[in-house]
Amino acid sequence: MKYTIVDSHVHLYPESHLPTLAWHKPGNPIGGQYSIDQYRLAAKKVPTGDQKSDDGEPYTLRGFVYLEVDRKSSVNEADGGWKHVLDEVSFLARIINGEPTPGEGHKPEDSELCLGVVPWAPVPAGQETMQRYMTLVQERMGTEKAWRKVRGVRYLVQDKPAGTMLGDGFVESLKWLGREKLVFDLGVDARQGGLHQLREAVELCRRVYDGVKDDEKVVIVINHMCKPNHRVPYSGRESIISHPEFNEWKQYVSAMAAAGPTTYMKLSGQFTELPPLPAEPEPDYDSLAERLEPWTDVIFDAFGPARVMFGSDWPVCNTGGGGQSAWERWRQVVQRVLDRRGLTEEEKQGFWGKVAVTAYGLDADI
């Protein structure tokens, strides 16, 4: 059986852009050049569509969905808060249009690897501001080809004050996104941000979907399993499923899934939540899959295989996954998760690529 991978969660940035990143500090383990050249190296064991595998590799990498990389920004345009995020859009336009600037780390032939783009947007500001901002995004994209690849937006709430998601402007923006057929990527953090973020996200789903026609409901793609707390004491499955924090996380995740068929979940981002892996030796992939199983079972039980997709969270995955081998390590873990779950071949094909194509409305035949 052949599987075509659409990596639903990738970040890219050239080293020259590091000063524009909100989270960059001296000594940052991913404070270097992480562009398409480096991404290709990270995923080198999986051939892309224009390459051939000599070792019978059943996987092909069709491409990725780019997620905004949390540049310095603010909702207020007047204070210059849109400068760096719009420059990020211009960088992506150069990738998609095959017009690299020297030193940016991509080539004209990389254009087709970028299947979709999810830029930052001033979501709390409401519909009018969103419309103005997205007009600027369209201008920066430069071509119809590039603009068509803008499939949604993200505004990270994992580091924002409580109540941010429930503001009138936030809810209004998501309803507008639904009418415009644009996705919203939801980033919350149960471990570091607190479970109250998930409780708020459940209420957000209720408000966004309440009274909205089915064909105007926004697609919400939830990042990284909501970053569950894998640091709770672990001595086997029972130690997890009996833990109150696990059960509260389960309650909220299940409620998000039940909010409607337009909520999706990414199986991604877990290397930053698990205890860090060393660069050497190779980890025990079966043990890692077993440790994740209580949590991934909740995801598949709640969303069903038709609403769960693969994402690498590259290069952030490198920080807990042992460095440059983290992309491939995560693929190996996930393969075992799917096998332990007993997914059918059709469900596996969906997970690796077709679910992302459906959720984001990608123009990609797989």
Side-chain angles (χ1 to χ4, degrees), residues 118-140:
V118 179
W120 177 95
V123 175
Q127 175 179 330
E128 183 178 343
T129 301
M130 286 285 287
Q131 288 174 314
R132 186 168 69 253
Y133 177 78
M134 294 306 287
T135 297
L136 296 176
V137 170
Q138 184 172 9
E139 292 174 359
R140 291 290 186 111

Side-chain angles (χ1 to χ4, degrees), residues 8-9 11 67-68 118 153-158 183-190 198 220-228 249 253 256 264-270 273 299 303 309 313 360:
S8 71
H9 204 100
H11 307 288
L67 267 289
E68 63 92 18
V118 179
V153 303
R154 186 170 77 158
Y155 179 86
L156 272 177
V157 291
Q158 64 189 36
V183 172
F184 178 67
D185 259 73
L186 174 62
V188 292
D189 187 336
L198 279 63
I220 297 177
V221 179
I222 305 163
N223 299 174
H224 310 328
M225 294 168 52
C226 299
K227 294 193 173 185
W249 170 87
V253 166
M256 288 182 223
Y264 291 79
M265 180 64 79
K266 292 181 182 179
L267 203 62
S268 58
Q270 300 312 289
E273 310 311 311
I299 297 302
F303 288 87
M309 67 187 79
D313 194 25
Y360 284 105

Side-chain angles (χ1 to χ4, degrees), residues 5-10 39 61 63-65 310-313 327 352:
I5 297 176
V6 173
D7 188 342
S8 71
H9 204 100
V10 168
Y39 179 75
L61 177 61
F64 59 80
V65 177
F310 171 75
S312 68
D313 194 25
W327 192 97
W352 289 111

Side-chain angles (χ1 to χ4, degrees), residues 294-312:
W295 310 86
T296 56
D297 276 349
V298 169
I299 297 302
F300 283 111
D301 285 343
F303 288 87
R307 287 194 283 154
V308 184
M309 67 187 79
F310 171 75
S312 68

Side-chain angles (χ1 to χ4, degrees), residues 2-3 5 37-49 51-62 279-280 282-283 285 324-332 335-336:
K2 299 290 187 181
Y3 306 103
I5 297 176
D37 287 348
Q38 291 73 38
Y39 179 75
R40 282 186 180 273
L41 285 172
K44 65 184 178 182
K45 290 192 176 181
V46 180
T48 56
Q51 298 171 327
K52 293 185 181 295
S53 174
D54 296 327
D55 59 2
E57 172 62 60
Y59 292 83
T60 300
L61 177 61
R62 176 64 181 84
E280 298 289 345
E282 281 296 289
Y285 296 117
Q324 295 300 322
S325 60
W327 192 97
E328 176 60 20
R329 285 180 169 185
W330 180 238
R331 182 175 73 112
Q332 294 290 340
Q335 286 176 202
R336 288 158 175 81

Side-chain angles (χ1 to χ4, degrees), residues 54-121:
D54 296 327
D55 59 2
E57 172 62 60
Y59 292 83
T60 300
L61 177 61
R62 176 64 181 84
F64 59 80
V65 177
Y66 174 90
L67 267 289
E68 63 92 18
V69 73
D70 194 18
R71 298 200 180 210
K72 295 174 181 176
S73 62
S74 74
V75 172
N76 187 357
E77 178 186 10
D79 63 7
W82 295 0
K83 172 179 169 38
H84 297 310
V85 289
L86 287 173
D87 286 346
E88 179 179 34
V89 171
S90 295
F91 166 60
L92 296 167
R94 291 192 291 275
I95 291 174
I96 296 167
N97 293 322
E99 300 171 345
T101 294
E104 281 191 338
H106 58 97
K107 303 175 181 67
E109 56 267 31
D110 294 327
S111 171
E112 298 307 314
L113 270 183
C114 185
L115 303 177
V117 170
V118 179
W120 177 95

